[in-house]
């Protein structure tokens, strides 16, 4: 049996699954709040498990809570083709970021069941734990442990804002498995995701063929000055941590703009102490996120920013600490997997273009241990990590069709 353009997934079923999952951990403005290892995360996992069971898939669970739903192949010695993403969301997240890739992976196997197609390699749909990093930093935590980037004990000791430990919360919601993390070997891994940017929609392109992923640094900066009265402290006597933060924000923007078109830089989370209208800020803590697809550029940006922060701190007579809380180098995805995606899009008649991922994804870590590639579908106005995040049913189906063909071609049709 050959892969032909009439072999496509059930777009209505995929969309209904997305809408049903979105009912778990609903946001306040139409999106989702299913942060990792919360009760809502546990409910979403349970729903995914029920759907996988109904599709005849066996479920594996490792000690980091990664879920693996397996459809058997005809060759017991063939390594599985993995496909998936993540079910956790930002606190004010959209309904498609991550979850689209997990449920599209399930839809691949539902469609194989519908069509009575067997593959030589097994196929496994995976839900990686804590991709977002919103509750427990860093992002892509469990896939990072799987790929040997992080130690499991270190990962389980990560704390959320209230001091709760990752490991304790994983046990509390009942999703800590017994399978040693990282033991599985993969023939290939495919991740399907919304673009989280405006390029595909702006250009009217159906499919993004992701060839590279940007590297990033997450830095946490603390500036410590001296609290004093806003009215009675002369300007030249102030040790203003708030002013220092403002100058660093401008510095980060300037450095990113000097490395266009691909580099980006942002100051995101900001805490000001004591945060009172008539007290000069004595301490500020904030995060810096810088990204580039070129390692030399990325490292240069970090060096320039850290040197600039020291200069700012010295000029304002404030103390500074800079901690790295997240990092990965730029990624080049596997040529054969990328080609399988391009060929699938051509076979199905979908328009496509090569694209660089501006965001981090589990695929960035799995690329270290298995041939890996990614597929993007457009999203409205490029908006993501926002409850207003939106895609269309047609976009979702197009990418899932390409995913189906790329995965099944890689897994090998039997008969």
């Amino acid at each position: 049996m050959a892969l032909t353009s009439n072999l496509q997934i059930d777009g209505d079923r995929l969309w209904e699954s997305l809408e049903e999952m979105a009912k778990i951990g609903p946001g306040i403005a139409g999106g989702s709040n299913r942060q990792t290892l919360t009760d809502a995360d546990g409910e979403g996992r349970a729903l995914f498990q029920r759907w996988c069971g109904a599709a005849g898939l066996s479920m594996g669970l490792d000690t980091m809570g990664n879920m693996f739903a397996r459809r058997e192949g005809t060759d017991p010695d063939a390594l599985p083709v993995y496909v998936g993403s993540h079910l956790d969301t930002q606190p004010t997240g959209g309904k498609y970021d991550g979850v689209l890739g997990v449920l599209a992976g399930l839809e691949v196997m539902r469609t194989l069941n519908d069509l009575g197609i067997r593959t030589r390699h097994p196929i496994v749909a995976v839900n990686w734990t804590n991709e977002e990093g919103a509750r427990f930093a860093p992002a892509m935590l469990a896939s990072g442990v799987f790929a040997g980037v992080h130690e499991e004990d270190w990962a389980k000791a990560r704390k959320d804002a209230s001091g709760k430990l990752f490991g304790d919360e994983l046990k509390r919601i009942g999703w800590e498995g017994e399978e040693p993390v990282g033991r599985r070997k993969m023939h290939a891994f495919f991740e399907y995701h919304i673009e989280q940017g405006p390029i595909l929609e702006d250009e009217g392109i159906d499919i993004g063929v992701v060839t590279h992923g940007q590297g990033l640094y997450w830095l946490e900066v603390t500036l410590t000055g001296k609290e004093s009265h806003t009215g009675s402290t002369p300007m030249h006597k102030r040790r203003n941590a708030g002013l220092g933060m403002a100058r660093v924000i401008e510095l980060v923007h300037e450095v990113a703009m000097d490395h266009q078109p691909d580099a980006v830089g942002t100051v995101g989370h900001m805490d000001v102490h004591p945060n009172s209208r008539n007290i000069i800020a004595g301490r500020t803590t904030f995060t810096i996120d810088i990204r580039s697809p070129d390692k030399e550029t990325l490292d240069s940006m970090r060096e320039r920013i850290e040197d600039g922060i020291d200069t700012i701190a010295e000029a304002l007579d404030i103390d500074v600490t800079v901690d790295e809380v997240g990092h990965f180098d730029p990624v080049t995805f596997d040529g054969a997997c990328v080609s399988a995606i391009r060929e699938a899009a051509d076979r199905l008649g979908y328009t496509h273009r090569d694209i660089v991922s501006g965001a981090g994804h589990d695929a960035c870590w799995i690329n270290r241990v298995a041939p890996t590639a990614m597929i993007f579908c457009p999203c409205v106005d490029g908006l993501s990590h926002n409850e207003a995040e939106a895609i269309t049913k047609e976009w979702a189906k197009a990418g899932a069709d390409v995913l189906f063909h790329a995965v099944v071609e890689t897994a090998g049709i039997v008969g």
Side-chain angles (χ1 to χ4, degrees), residues 359-371:
H361 298 283
D362 293 306
C364 295
W365 286 148
I366 302 307
N367 190 62
R368 294 185 170 210
V369 295

Side-chain angles (χ1 to χ4, degrees), residues 226 228-240 280:
K226 187 174 184 178
S228 57
H229 197 289
T230 58
S232 56
T233 306
M235 297 298 289
H236 69 281
K237 297 284 289 184
R238 299 179 179 213
R239 300 177 60 207
N240 189 343
I280 296 165

Side-chain angles (χ1 to χ4, degrees), residues 18 32 34 85-90 92-102 131-132 191-196 359-361 379 383-386 389-391:
L18 289 166
S32 294
R34 204 166 46 249
S85 192
H86 61 97
L87 292 175
D88 68 311
T89 76
Q90 292 285 332
T92 53
K95 298 190 294 186
Y96 311 104
D97 175 353
V99 64
L100 174 64
V102 177
E131 190 275 350
E132 292 290 2
E191 181 168 3
Y192 176 34
H193 208 280
I194 65 171
E195 181 193 349
Q196 300 182 283
H361 298 283
C379 58
L383 191 64
S384 183
H385 287 189
N386 187 308
E389 173 187 283
I391 64 175

Side-chain angles (χ1 to χ4, degrees), residues 253-275:
H253 179 79
E254 177 183 300
V255 169
M257 291 301 295
D258 285 347
H259 291 87
Q260 291 306 290
D262 293 325
V264 292
T266 307
V267 171
H269 183 88
M270 292 175 275
D271 287 323
V272 179
H273 180 82
N275 202 25

Side-chain angles (χ1 to χ4, degrees), residues 13-35 40-41 43-45 47-48 50-51 86-100 102-103 386-391:
R13 182 171 57 194
L14 173 59
W15 194 256
E16 289 165 5
S17 298
L18 289 166
E19 292 298 307
E20 192 66 24
M21 183 62 75
K23 294 177 182 177
I24 298 175
I28 59 174
S32 294
N33 181 7
R34 204 166 46 249
Q35 295 179 67
D41 183 23
E43 292 175 32
R45 289 165 172 265
L47 178 59
F48 177 59
R50 289 197 298 273
W51 283 338
H86 61 97
L87 292 175
D88 68 311
T89 76
Q90 292 285 332
T92 53
K95 298 190 294 186
Y96 311 104
D97 175 353
V99 64
L100 174 64
V102 177
L103 297 187
N386 187 308
E387 292 200 59
E389 173 187 283
I391 64 175

Side-chain angles (χ1 to χ4, degrees), residues 101-259:
V102 177
L103 297 187
L106 171 59
E107 181 57 35
V108 166
M109 291 185 279
R110 284 171 164 173
T111 300
L112 288 171
N113 290 345
D114 293 344
L115 299 173
I117 294 175
R118 300 297 306 278
T119 59
R120 186 172 78 83
H121 292 262
I123 300 175
V124 178
V126 56
N127 168 39
W128 300 108
T129 303
N130 192 47
E131 190 275 350
E132 292 290 2
R135 185 179 178 201
F136 297 98
M140 301 117 66
L141 183 63
S143 59
V145 176
F146 185 97
V149 178
H150 307 306
E151 294 292 333
E152 183 173 357
D153 289 344
W154 178 86
K156 288 187 170 177
R158 298 303 89 207
K159 294 181 180 180
D160 68 5
S162 62
K164 294 178 180 178
L165 297 178
F166 179 99
D168 292 345
E169 288 295 274
L170 182 61
K171 290 179 180 178
R172 182 188 67 80
I173 67 168
W175 286 95
E176 181 182 44
E178 297 182 356
E179 176 186 316
V181 65
R183 183 181 66 183
R184 292 169 175 259
K185 304 301 180 185
M186 300 180 179
H187 181 59
F189 175 63
F190 292 90
E191 181 168 3
Y192 176 34
H193 208 280
I194 65 171
E195 181 193 349
Q196 300 182 283
I199 295 171
L200 296 177
E201 186 191 28
D202 285 352
E203 297 183 4
I205 301 293
D206 300 319
I207 302 296
V209 181
V210 186
T211 59
H212 296 78
Q214 284 187 320
L216 69 76
Y217 281 110
W218 279 0
L219 307 176
E220 184 172 277
V221 181
T222 298
L223 302 178
T224 305
K226 187 174 184 178
E227 298 163 32
S228 57
H229 197 289
T230 58
S232 56
T233 306
M235 297 298 289
H236 69 281
K237 297 284 289 184
R238 299 179 179 213
R239 300 177 60 207
N240 189 343
L243 176 59
M245 181 173 68
R247 291 183 178 176
V248 174
I249 293 172
E250 180 66 25
L251 169 67
V252 170
H253 179 79
E254 177 183 300
V255 169
M257 291 301 295
D258 285 347
H259 291 87

